[in-house]
């Protein structure tokens, strides 16, 4: 108890400092957005693609136990957050990185990119909910073990299962999965 009370002012100071830095960063970003960026767009896309591919490789290595202690922490955090869907994350990151370099539409624009990203996010949400549509008490245990849909699936099902029941909740998540596939298949 003593440690908590003596550290609380320090934690409060750190939080205030972080908020202050965030506000400064936001102000600088808004000023920079008014000026034309000096970094070429292609370079920005390439760097972002590199970051996403690197993250996918590190996440994959963490699944295999080849990324050290940090990898174990990453795998554990992803297991708690997404459950079995954590194995979908590396291919998804590579796919997003690919689309940075290859526009979706023939005219070079990526108008439907936002639609596809929305579809991908909806698919992750739907699958997490579907994998975790079990009775609520069992769902919390599953989330703690990092199976099913993780805590994401648990939180999605928490209000739905008592309201609609397990079967109707599964129907809702299947419908959301189909809708997300429609978003993913959009080309214009």
């Amino acid at each position: 108890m003593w440690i908590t009370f003596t550290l609380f002012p320090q934690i409060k100071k750190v939080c205030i400092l972080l908020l202050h830095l965030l506000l400064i960063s936001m102000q600088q970003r808004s000023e920079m957005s008014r000026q034309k960026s000096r970094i070429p767009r292609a370079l920005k896309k390439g760097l972002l693609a590199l970051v996403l591919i690197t993250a996918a490789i590190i996440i994959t290595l963490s699944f295999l136990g080849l990324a050290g202690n940090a990898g174990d922490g990453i795998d554990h955090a992803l297991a708690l957050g997404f459950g079995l869907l954590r194995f979908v994350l590396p291919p998804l990151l590579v796919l997003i990185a690919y689309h940075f370099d290859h526009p979706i539409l023939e005219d070079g624009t990526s108008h439907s990119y936002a639609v596809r990203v929305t579809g991908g996010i909806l698919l992750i949400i739907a699958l997490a909910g579907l994998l975790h549509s079990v009775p609520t008490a069992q769902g919390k245990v599953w989330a703690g073990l990092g199976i099913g849909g993780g805590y994401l699936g648990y939180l999605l099902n928490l209000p739905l299962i008592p309201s609609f029941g397990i079967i109707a909740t599964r129907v809702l998540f299947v419908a959301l999965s189909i809708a997300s596939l429609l978003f993913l298949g959009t080309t214009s």
Side-chain angles (χ1 to χ4, degrees):
M1 289 293 280
W2 178 80
I3 294 174
T4 306
F5 289 120
T6 58
L7 287 179
F8 183 73
Q10 300 299 327
I11 293 171
K12 184 178 176 183
K13 287 178 185 178
V14 169
C15 291
I16 291 171
L17 178 65
L18 288 174
L19 285 173
H20 183 69
L21 290 174
L22 179 66
L23 287 173
I24 290 172
S25 172
M26 289 172 58
Q27 288 172 347
Q28 289 174 349
R29 179 170 271 195
S30 67
E31 290 172 12
M32 286 180 61
S33 66
R34 287 185 214 128
Q35 302 172 353
K36 186 171 180 165
S37 177
R38 293 181 178 94
I39 300 173
R41 186 174 178 91
L43 179 61
K44 288 181 190 177
K45 286 182 173 182
L47 289 174
L48 188 55
L50 177 66
V51 167
L52 291 173
I53 290 172
T54 303
I57 291 170
I58 290 173
I59 290 170
T60 303
L61 290 174
S62 72
F63 297 154
L64 302 172
L66 300 173
N69 290 334
D72 292 341
I74 290 169
D75 185 46
H76 181 68
L78 289 174
L80 290 177
F82 298 104
L84 296 174
L85 289 177
R86 69 185 185 272
F87 299 112
V88 176
L89 193 57
L92 184 65
L93 292 175
V94 170
L95 185 65
I96 292 170
Y98 173 79
H99 281 295
F100 277 124
D101 232 9
H102 299 82
I104 296 170
L105 299 177
E106 291 78 23
D107 63 357
T109 63
S110 59
H111 170 70
S112 64
Y113 178 73
V115 174
R116 288 190 178 188
V117 169
T118 302
I121 292 170
L122 286 177
L123 184 62
I124 294 292
I125 289 171
L127 291 176
L130 192 60
L131 285 172
H132 216 87
S133 55
V134 295
T136 309
Q138 185 181 0
K140 189 169 187 177
V141 172
W142 279 22
L145 295 173
I147 58 176
Y151 278 106
L152 175 63
Y154 172 68
L155 291 174
L156 290 168
N157 280 297
L158 197 58
L160 293 176
I161 289 178
S163 301
F164 293 102
I166 292 175
I167 294 173
T169 300
R170 287 179 182 165
V171 169
L172 288 171
F173 284 124
V174 167
L176 185 60
S177 298
I178 292 169
S180 68
L181 292 174
L182 292 173
F183 274 99
L184 289 170
T186 300
T187 58
S188 62

